[in-house]
Amino acid sequence: MGILIALEGLDGAGKRTLVEKVVRELRALGRTVATVDFPRYGRSIHADLASEALKGEHGDLAASANAMAVLFALDRAGAADDLRDLVAANDIVILDRYVASNAAYGAARTRQGADGDFAAWIAELEFERLGLPAPDLQLLLDVPVELAAQRARLRGESDATRALDAYERDGDLQARTGGVYRELADNSWQGTWWRVTANADPAELAGRMAELS
Ligand SMILES: Nc1ncnc2c1ncn2[C@@H]1O[C@H](COP(=O)(O)OP(=O)(O)OP(=O)(O)O)[C@@H](O)[C@H]1O
Ligand SMILES: Cc1cn([C@H]2C[C@H](O)[C@@H](COP(=O)(O)O)O2)c(=O)[nH]c1=O
């Protein structure tokens, strides 16, 4: 039985890049590793609807923080059995975004903190009602909001498929989301969190993860 690790952070923080490096290091240490990215674009109607809404489609869908959160939650619910199978078959399963993304962005959108109703509603919806497996560890890739925004912008300029969406264009939302993420980590929301900085050493991080498996 393996462990489930969720990597969290702002748009453009460098989560995907860090996951790739850490996975290489973990495999070099002899660990079996699987990864899943949320939202599951192209594989989940809920993820695709959420993405389209953030690009301006589907009327006023994106105006509702709760409606957007339900779409992201239903995307994950569709992967719950796969997640359990992956954890059974691997030493470590790393998720690029998980339930805390919904708590952080939704709380920030509704101008609440990590201890507010929105984050509590997400925990109840996703872990209790939809039965998603709880992560053994959540990592916050805690980079300055300006750096994350710059990386997201440069990526959008060089890759037309990654043009900035409504959340990425909203600098105030990104700043508030960063604040909620730090509160979630400080409050150990739904379990243990580690904070990882922008210049974290992937080999050192992989070594610490391997010790847990
Ligand atoms: N450590 C780094 N140094 C320099 N550039 C980086 C670093 N990490 C990521 N980047 C660059 O920043 C951009 C965003 O990185 P990445 O796609 O990994 O972020 P992300 O957190 O997964 O983003 P999102 O959540 O928006 O999908 C990419 O163009 C990537 O090449
Ligand atoms: C999984 C998930 C994502 N979000 C937010 C975070 C981003 O701003 C967008 C799209 O995600 P991506 O990683 O940039 O592709 O949606 C969210 O609010 N809730 C979630 O559960």
Side-chain angles (χ1 to χ4, degrees):
M1 191 71 174
I3 58 169
L4 188 61
I5 298 178
L7 179 60
E8 295 286 350
L10 295 176
D11 295 287
K15 298 178 295 300
R16 176 188 297 264
T17 308
L18 184 61
V19 167
E20 286 170 5
K21 291 177 182 168
V22 166
V23 167
R24 267 200 299 276
E25 298 290 344
L26 284 169
R27 289 188 176 141
L29 291 171
R31 300 302 193 277
T32 56
V33 188
T35 64
V36 180
D37 300 345
F38 290 107
R40 295 178 304 145
Y41 300 126
R43 287 182 297 140
S44 150
I45 182 70
H46 301 103
D48 289 343
L49 286 169
S51 169
E52 290 155 15
L54 288 180
K55 290 177 182 140
E57 296 179 40
H58 306 304
D60 62 1
L61 178 54
S64 167
N66 294 80
M68 290 301 294
V70 167
L71 286 178
F72 290 123
L74 290 175
D75 167 28
R76 275 186 286 278
D81 288 341
D82 287 352
L83 290 183
R84 277 185 272 273
D85 290 348
L86 287 172
V87 170
N90 290 276
D91 295 320
I92 300 178
V93 178
I94 303 180
L95 309 178
D96 182 342
R97 292 200 183 282
Y98 197 44
V99 178
S101 284
N102 242 353
Y105 282 83
R109 284 197 62 180
T110 53
R111 298 177 183 274
Q112 297 179 22
D115 57 356
D117 289 346
F118 201 99
W121 172 70
I122 287 294
E124 203 276 330
L125 173 68
E126 300 212 37
F127 293 123
E128 305 300 326
R129 196 149 181 200
L130 298 175
L132 282 152
D136 297 289
L137 173 66
Q138 297 177 90
L139 300 181
L140 173 57
L141 179 50
D142 193 7
V143 311
V145 64
E146 299 81 8
L147 179 59
Q150 183 192 38
R151 287 177 177 173
R153 187 171 41 74
L154 290 175
R155 183 184 56 193
E157 286 168 4
S158 64
D159 178 355
T161 68
R162 300 302 307 263
L164 298 189
D165 67 26
Y167 287 180
E168 290 166 336
R169 283 196 305 273
D170 187 341
D172 288 343
L173 174 66
Q174 295 290 328
R176 291 199 306 279
T177 302
V180 178
Y181 263 134
R182 283 190 286 277
E183 287 178 23
L184 291 169
D186 289 349
N187 297 354
S188 302
W189 188 79
Q190 298 296 315
T192 304
W193 285 72
W194 293 350
R195 274 209 213 187
V196 179
T197 60
N199 50 11
D201 175 7
E204 193 261 343
L205 184 57
R208 290 174 66 199
M209 287 180 181
E211 283 174 17
L212 301 175
S213 64

